[in-house]
Amino acid sequence: MKHIPPISTITGLVLIVDDTPTNLEVVSETLGDAGFDVAIAISGDRALQQVERRLPDLILLDVMMPGIDGFETCRRLKANVRTCRIPIIFMTALSDTESKVKALELGAVDYIVKPFYEKEVLARVSTHLQLSLLTQTLAAQVAQKAAELQASQLQLIQNEKMSALGNLVAGVAHEINNPIGSIVGNVNAAQDYIHDLLGIIDLYGRKFPQPGAEIEDELEALDLDYIREDLPKLIRAMKDGADRITSISQSLRIFSRADSNTKQAFNLHDGIDSTVLILRHRLKANEHRPAIEVVTDYGQLPEVFCFPGQINQVFMNILANAIDALDESNSGCCFAEIQTNLNRINIGTKVQGDWVKIAIADNGPGMPEGVKTRIFDHLYTTKAVGKGTGLGLAIARQIVEETHGGKLSVNSVMGKGTEFVIAIPV
């Protein structure tokens, strides 16, 4: 916590604004002897010019001056963002209540009635400098605590999302695993049984070449030759489908890989592939647009020690945002127009020095500079209400930079697309 010195040791720059030389001399000498830095101005206009060059810590402002008076000078100071927080003490010979109230309503913190008493001037100046310093310190502490709370909240939300998503995906993978294991195990057996049955039918045909009119009619109706040709194809298609589901189940398990208290060696390409597979339903063609093409250019990457579940969450957030951006860019375009410039997401990986870099780029609309500078801000989102929380990329940056000591950056050009670059230290 910042140390606040006692009132007797408070110093700072005090600007004295008065058109009477005697008053300037008396007040400046009093404050100077007490250790304050002093600046003087003989009019409101001069005072406004001086504060633009150097901000004082406090202003002693006379009310009755030629040109703009003290009230107008105060109003202008309070209207200026740079000077609005400087404490102002009015110096006035006016002792009526209306003038005092007006001074306070304009934003002054106090007033001193002429003629001056040295101890009163010093006490009031020191007190309000002390209060100003306390206010600044408190504001800094509040901002720090708010940042800490925000980071804590972000971490909590991240953990909750990861836990919920991981449990859901792991549960789905587990439920798929049991029936698909049964299918895969039985397809080969079914293929053998079918082969045996067809062999028995062939044997019957050889032993009883004249089966009778009824059996011949049935064989002709069934088209046995076509069944003999097509049935193995059906079995192979079933086996391919089962293998595909097994691959999906494996990808789900990779994506939902539980994080331990220590980092684990992880193949980043497996994480990217599993995430793309989970998002495949959003990449497929629909009635509004052709399929979004995903092009990968993988380099030779070593396994990286990381928290795999969290890294997969980063891939998910960035890829999902890329799909959203492409869908948004398609708004108002017909199917044929989109076909002339197909939606595409490029994913490239490489080792560069001591870093592994993953670049995920889309050929969407890009981002204006104002959005690009705020894209990682907590709770900032460009999506409509109910469509996004603004937490995805904030969480992604926290995972990459704070948890893994890496870097997450964005490059974007309006009309050409957006690229996110994830750098993780080897």
Side-chain angles (χ1 to χ4, degrees):
M1 180 176 177
K2 188 173 180 180
H3 174 67
I4 305 299
I7 290 178
S8 60
T9 63
I10 287 284
T11 58
L13 175 63
V14 178
L15 173 61
I16 308 169
V17 187
D18 199 315
D19 63 323
T20 305
T22 305
N23 292 339
L24 289 174
E25 183 179 352
V26 171
V27 177
S28 61
E29 184 177 344
T30 299
L31 294 176
D33 290 344
F36 291 95
D37 293 327
V38 176
I40 60 174
I42 60 173
S43 69
D45 288 319
R46 294 279 185 89
L48 294 173
Q49 293 171 10
Q50 282 194 223
V51 296
E52 289 297 326
R53 293 193 295 269
R54 183 183 178 189
L55 289 177
D57 297 300
L58 183 140
I59 298 174
L60 286 171
L61 182 59
D62 187 23
V63 173
M64 305 301 293
M65 293 184 296
I68 61 172
D69 63 12
F71 292 139
E72 176 61 19
T73 304
C74 180
R75 189 190 65 76
R76 295 189 188 184
L77 288 167
K78 292 303 177 182
N80 188 328
V81 176
R82 292 186 68 242
T83 59
C84 63
R85 298 188 181 183
I86 301 173
I88 296 173
I89 300 176
F90 273 111
M91 303 182 296
T92 178
L94 302 174
S95 58
D96 60 286
T97 303
E98 185 179 346
S99 297
K100 295 175 183 177
V101 170
K102 183 176 181 180
L104 296 174
E105 286 178 343
L106 286 171
V109 296
D110 205 348
Y111 57 87
I112 300 172
V113 179
K114 299 177 182 179
F116 304 119
Y117 294 96
E118 292 184 5
K119 290 185 178 180
E120 180 185 8
V121 172
L122 286 175
R124 289 181 185 272
V125 168
S126 297
T127 296
H128 287 293
L129 280 173
Q130 171 93 348
L131 290 174
S132 178
L133 184 57
L134 283 170
T135 301
Q136 294 173 27
T137 304
L138 181 60
Q141 290 176 345
V142 169
Q144 180 183 353
K145 293 299 180 183
E148 292 173 359
L149 179 61
Q150 186 182 83
S152 175
Q153 180 190 33
L154 197 60
Q155 185 66 46
L156 180 62
I157 293 171
Q158 174 205 325
N159 292 341
E160 290 293 332
K161 287 181 69 174
M162 285 299 300
S163 176
L165 182 62
N167 289 337
L168 174 64
V169 172
V172 171
H174 178 73
E175 291 301 320
I176 291 175
N177 202 44
N178 290 332
I180 201 60
S182 174
I183 293 172
V184 170
N186 291 327
V187 163
N188 291 332
Q191 193 171 22
D192 292 339
Y193 293 158
I194 290 167
H195 183 269
D196 292 342
L197 290 173
L198 290 174
I200 290 293
I201 292 173
D202 291 340
L203 182 60
Y204 267 92
R206 290 194 300 271
K207 294 297 183 181
F208 301 98
Q210 301 297 327
E214 184 178 355
I215 293 177
E216 286 181 352
D217 290 343
E218 189 67 23
L219 288 174
E220 185 176 352
L222 290 175
D223 195 353
L224 183 62
D225 290 338
Y226 176 77
I227 292 175
R228 188 190 300 275
E229 178 185 354
D230 194 54
L231 193 55
K233 296 179 182 178
L234 291 178
I235 295 296
R236 280 197 303 273
M238 292 170 62
K239 189 173 185 303
D240 290 343
D243 290 341
R244 177 68 176 156
I245 297 174
T246 301
S247 174
I248 292 172
S249 178
Q250 183 179 6
S251 293
L252 290 174
R253 288 197 299 273
I254 291 172
F255 181 82
S256 65
R257 186 170 167 180
D259 290 333
S260 66
N261 292 328
T262 57
K263 294 179 180 178
Q264 307 169 27
F266 183 55
N267 185 328
L268 294 175
H269 291 158
D270 288 344
I272 296 169
D273 291 341
S274 68
T275 307
V276 170
L277 190 98
I278 290 170
L279 291 170
R280 187 175 296 276
H281 69 287
R282 295 195 59 197
L283 298 166
K284 290 181 178 178
N286 55 42
E287 66 272 19
H288 303 296
R289 60 159 173 80
I292 297 174
E293 183 182 10
V294 176
V295 180
T296 57
D297 180 16
Y298 289 165
Q300 293 292 324
L301 299 188
E303 288 193 331
V304 174
F305 279 87
C306 62
F307 297 103
Q310 295 187 29
I311 291 296
N312 287 337
Q313 179 66 40
V314 174
F315 296 151
M316 173 68 77
N317 284 332
I318 293 175
L319 285 168
N321 278 346
I323 296 171
D324 290 340
L326 290 170
D327 283 338
E328 182 183 345
S329 70
N330 294 330
S331 179
C333 300
C334 66
F335 201 95
E337 287 176 325
I338 301 171
Q339 276 187 314
T340 61
N341 183 27
L342 288 173
N343 298 152
R344 183 178 294 106
I345 296 175
N346 293 300
I347 306 174
T349 64
K350 63 181 179 180
V351 176
Q352 192 172 63
D354 295 331
W355 299 85
V356 167
K357 291 194 173 182
I358 306 101
I360 301 174
D362 64 67
N363 62 340
M367 291 184 285
E369 194 65 30
V371 172
K372 189 166 64 173
T373 56
R374 298 189 61 194
I375 197 69
F376 297 112
D377 288 358
H378 178 75
L379 298 180
Y380 177 76
T381 179
T382 59
K383 298 175 183 175
V385 176
K387 298 294 184 180
T389 63
L391 290 172
L393 290 176
I395 289 174
R397 169 166 275 187
Q398 186 182 61
I399 291 172
V400 172
E401 298 189 355
E402 296 182 21
T403 305
H404 291 87
K407 300 174 184 175
L408 177 58
S409 58
V410 61
N411 306 305
S412 185
V413 177
M414 287 296 292
K416 294 187 177 180
T418 299
E419 177 189 56
F420 286 91
V421 179
I422 304 161
I424 302 174
V426 178

